[in-house]
Amino acid sequence: MATFVLIHGGGGTAWQWHLLDAELRERGHDVVAVDLPTEDPDAGLGDYADSVVQAIGERAGLVVVAHSWGGFVGPLVCDRIKADLLVLLAGMVPVHGEPPADWWENTGFGMKDIDDAVDLFMHDVPPGLAAEASRRGRTHAEKALAEPWPLERWPDVPTRFLLCRDDRWFPADFMRAMARERLGVEADEIDGSHSVMLSRPRELADRLESYL
């Protein structure tokens, strides 16, 4: 059995993984999900990674799953501990020296106006669940957004990229191209929105298990 280490994205919380957590535990796996210190103005990218490593403790058989902005953190975790696999789930792929705040322009994505967060991120999530996810959203302090991503090369860990076909925030065509250009891999695909862990937790658990 594996230990799935679940890293949320910008503005997110460990809570967003609770349905996937239940699916994975039902199948006999262990799960680690933590709240990154995104609201701490003194926390940098290294502190984010350290918070995950500390939560992992002595566990082994690690599969690190990094969602969206968590793509900046997942590789840092894998550089600190021995992981069997890194999965970027609709993940942002960083390069050496790139501040997260510059990723948007550097990749050609730009920045969209967020007039309706539910429509962009959770259009297929049940309304009550989407409302609760919105209520739990958190702010993101500037330090970790502005400092350069520190790794000179990608960590030595097998990496899969899993995009969400119905994602209205990171469109599938953009993510396919980014996976090729920045990771040199062809993206795997799953139906669902950017918040697939809330809309399709069973299907996501199936896909993650298939990687083992």
Side-chain angles (χ1 to χ4, degrees):
M1 295 293 102
T3 296
F4 287 90
V5 180
L6 308 178
I7 302 173
H8 66 74
T13 67
W15 173 88
Q16 74 186 44
W17 299 108
H18 72 282
L19 298 178
L20 178 64
D21 181 311
E23 287 285 344
L24 293 171
R25 290 184 188 277
E26 188 175 287
R27 301 164 193 224
H29 302 293
D30 193 8
V31 177
V32 175
V34 300
D35 287 326
L36 299 177
T38 57
E39 295 173 303
D40 183 350
D42 297 320
L45 290 168
D47 299 306
Y48 287 26
D50 288 344
S51 70
V52 178
V53 170
Q54 188 173 36
I56 292 169
E58 300 300 317
R59 293 175 176 88
L62 305 176
V63 177
V64 176
V65 182
H67 178 241
S68 195
W69 196 93
F72 287 98
V73 181
L76 300 182
V77 172
C78 292
D79 191 55
R80 287 161 164 74
I81 50 92
K82 176 176 171 47
D84 294 334
L85 180 68
L86 170 61
V87 181
L88 296 177
L89 174 61
M92 298 164 73
V93 181
V95 296
H96 173 62
E98 179 178 67
D102 291 352
W103 181 92
W104 312 94
E105 183 176 353
N106 291 348
T107 59
F109 180 80
M111 179 56 77
K112 301 175 184 176
D113 292 330
I114 304 177
D115 296 324
D116 186 339
V118 170
D119 184 65
L120 270 178
F121 299 105
M122 297 180 282
H123 66 272
D124 59 349
V125 175
L129 198 58
E132 179 65 12
S134 298
R135 187 188 70 79
R136 290 173 176 267
R138 298 187 298 151
T139 58
H140 208 144
E142 182 66 22
K143 182 176 180 179
L145 302 176
E147 65 180 26
W149 196 69
L151 295 188
E152 294 186 5
R153 63 180 182 84
W154 201 255
D156 186 19
V157 58
T159 302
R160 305 293 291 260
F161 190 96
L162 180 58
L163 66 80
C164 303
R165 291 191 191 96
D166 307 309
D167 196 333
R168 295 178 180 175
W169 176 245
F170 287 147
D173 286 345
F174 169 79
M175 297 301 260
R176 291 184 191 108
M178 187 187 61
R180 292 188 195 108
E181 292 166 7
R182 291 203 161 199
L183 281 178
V185 303
E186 291 297 320
D188 300 323
E189 304 188 14
I190 188 171
D191 291 336
S193 68
H194 194 68
S195 299
V196 66
M197 71 290 294
L198 292 174
S199 64
R200 298 171 183 264
R202 180 170 298 175
E203 292 92 331
L204 180 55
D206 289 341
R207 182 61 61 91
L208 294 175
E209 269 205 320
S210 77
Y211 290 155
L212 300 180

